Amino acid sequence: MTDTPADRPPYPPPPGQGPAGSYPAPGDPAAPSRRNGMGTTALVIGVVALTLVLLLLFSPLGAFLGLLALLFGILGLLRANRGEADNRGQAVAGLVTGGIALLLGVFFTISIGTWFATHVTDFNDFGRCMDSAVGAAAREDCARKLSGELE
């Protein structure tokens, strides 16, 4: 006679017959694995791209990473729609953050590039003025002249 009551299974249960989370028996078919890498990658790259765009100096790099996040988000969304992945929300979030980063990055890059192209002669004049300046008063005069030109 055993010490186990009739209403409880013997401890430990045989493989494949235990509670949820136990390992399947060697002959049982394995559950299909989920491939969530694309959606997760899209989200991570999208957040990094948005951060870089907001730093303004790195707007071109942020725009490029935003484009990559868009592509990974689309691929992750396609996998989620086919049932190969279960992280649809991450793919959509990566798609949105990547799109925003791309748009802001292109806008800031064009705006800053246009501003510098407009004022390139002012910066050249400032450089020549600083090269020929002798003393602190002359350098301050160069700085005031540049400040007046940029306004």
Side-chain angles (χ1 to χ4, degrees):
M1 200 141 161
T2 64
D3 296 330
T4 306
D7 62 336
R8 290 192 346 215
Y11 185 78
Q17 297 177 3
S22 65
Y23 295 106
D28 290 346
S33 63
R34 301 287 183 179
R35 296 173 14 186
N36 293 329
M38 293 292 180
T40 304
T41 302
L43 180 60
V44 169
I45 292 176
V47 169
V48 169
L50 199 54
T51 303
L52 288 175
V53 164
L54 294 177
L55 290 176
L56 293 181
L57 182 63
F58 300 105
S59 290
L61 179 60
F64 175 71
L65 289 178
L67 179 64
L68 286 179
L70 272 174
L71 295 175
F72 280 118
I74 290 169
L75 292 175
L77 204 55
L78 291 174
R79 280 189 181 174
N81 288 342
R82 288 193 306 251
E84 296 175 3
D86 56 359
N87 63 342
R88 180 182 181 86
Q90 288 180 349
V92 170
L95 198 64
V96 169
T97 56
I100 292 170
L102 179 63
L103 291 175
L104 287 177
V106 168
F107 173 74
F108 288 147
T109 300
I110 290 172
S111 298
I112 293 169
T114 302
W115 185 83
F116 273 108
T118 304
H119 295 289
V120 71
T121 57
D122 298 332
F123 291 118
N124 287 335
D125 292 342
F126 174 71
R128 282 191 292 274
C129 182
M130 289 297 281
D131 286 340
S132 64
V134 177
R139 286 191 294 272
E140 286 178 19
D141 187 42
C142 292
R144 273 193 294 276
K145 183 179 174 186
L146 177 65
S147 177
E149 293 291 329
L150 294 180
E151 287 179 355

